[in-house]
Amino acid sequence: MAEAEGVIDTPESAGADESAGPETEERPRGKRKLAALLVVAVLAYLLDLGSKMLVVARLEGHEPIDVIGDLLRLNAIRNKGAAFGMGEAYTVIFTLIAAVVITVIIRLSRKLYSLPWAIALGLLLGGALGNLTDRIFRSPGIFRGAVVDFIAPAHFAVFNLADSAIVCGGILIVLLSFRGLDPDGTIHKD
């Protein structure tokens, strides 16, 4: 009957006609997903920040370090642009895009009832914050800073852990979307 009147059950409204027990059980589930998002974001951010601090202190200005022969090297560079060093003149725009992504993730987190989505969004948030920190605080100046990249696979662009977190989060979001899982925990079949 509720569906016929145009009302759709959501995690918040499920159990609203029942006793307070099921309703109060839904709220902690949602909070746990937000906590998972925050834990993943903080871990991704701290790993990125720590690795960049180590690279700047120990590797910048030195010869690249071969990790796996010619296949993988650690090579510190400063990237003013986006992926593959493109768009160096648009550093301010990349900074604004990162800020918008962070804002969208924070807004979306209010309706988060899915652990896989929490992990994916946490990776995106931590990675975006990592690169945004560089854009704000590194030289040549505020909102124009160059991102520290150092992971250099053969025949590929040099990147950092924030970039890795963003890519992994994006891939996970695509997979979740193909499976029909929404951030609110509902599954749809199209």
Side-chain angles (χ1 to χ4, degrees):
M1 181 76 177
E3 239 178 283
E5 296 173 10
V7 177
I8 299 172
D9 286 337
T10 63
E12 291 85 11
S13 67
D17 295 336
E18 299 171 14
S19 67
E23 186 176 316
T24 56
E25 287 176 8
E26 287 296 330
R27 292 185 193 279
R29 274 189 45 214
K31 287 181 183 176
R32 275 187 256 141
K33 304 314 182 260
L34 181 58
L37 181 149
L38 293 174
V39 166
V40 170
V42 167
L43 283 174
Y45 178 73
L46 291 177
L47 285 171
D48 179 65
L49 184 63
S51 66
K52 289 174 180 174
M53 290 172 62
L54 188 62
V55 164
V56 168
R58 303 283 180 161
L59 188 60
E60 202 166 52
H62 294 87
E63 289 295 316
I65 298 172
D66 291 335
V67 177
I68 304 174
D70 291 339
L71 294 177
L72 180 64
R73 291 181 172 183
L74 298 179
N75 184 20
I77 66 165
R78 298 287 181 119
N79 182 359
K80 294 180 185 177
F84 304 103
M86 295 185 303
E88 287 188 16
Y90 302 104
T91 305
V92 173
I93 293 172
F94 298 136
T95 303
L96 293 173
I97 290 170
V100 168
V101 167
I102 291 166
T103 303
V104 168
I105 291 170
I106 290 169
R107 289 185 56 108
L108 186 59
S109 70
R110 289 188 262 161
K111 299 179 181 181
L112 191 59
Y113 284 86
S114 166
L115 182 59
W117 271 94
I119 293 168
L121 292 174
L123 287 168
L124 283 177
L125 181 60
L129 286 170
N131 283 339
L132 183 61
T133 299
D134 281 1
R135 299 263 183 225
I136 293 173
F137 296 109
R138 294 209 187 268
S139 62
I142 296 178
F143 301 116
R144 296 179 298 123
V147 174
V148 175
D149 288 334
F150 59 93
I151 302 169
H155 313 295
F156 196 71
V158 182
F159 59 94
N160 58 44
L161 294 181
D163 298 333
S164 298
I166 291 168
V167 168
C168 291
I171 290 170
L172 186 52
I173 286 172
V174 169
L175 293 173
L176 293 171
S177 297
F178 277 131
R179 291 192 61 210
L181 181 61
D182 291 332
D184 66 0
T186 59
I187 298 174
H188 64 274
K189 308 254 187 218
D190 288 352

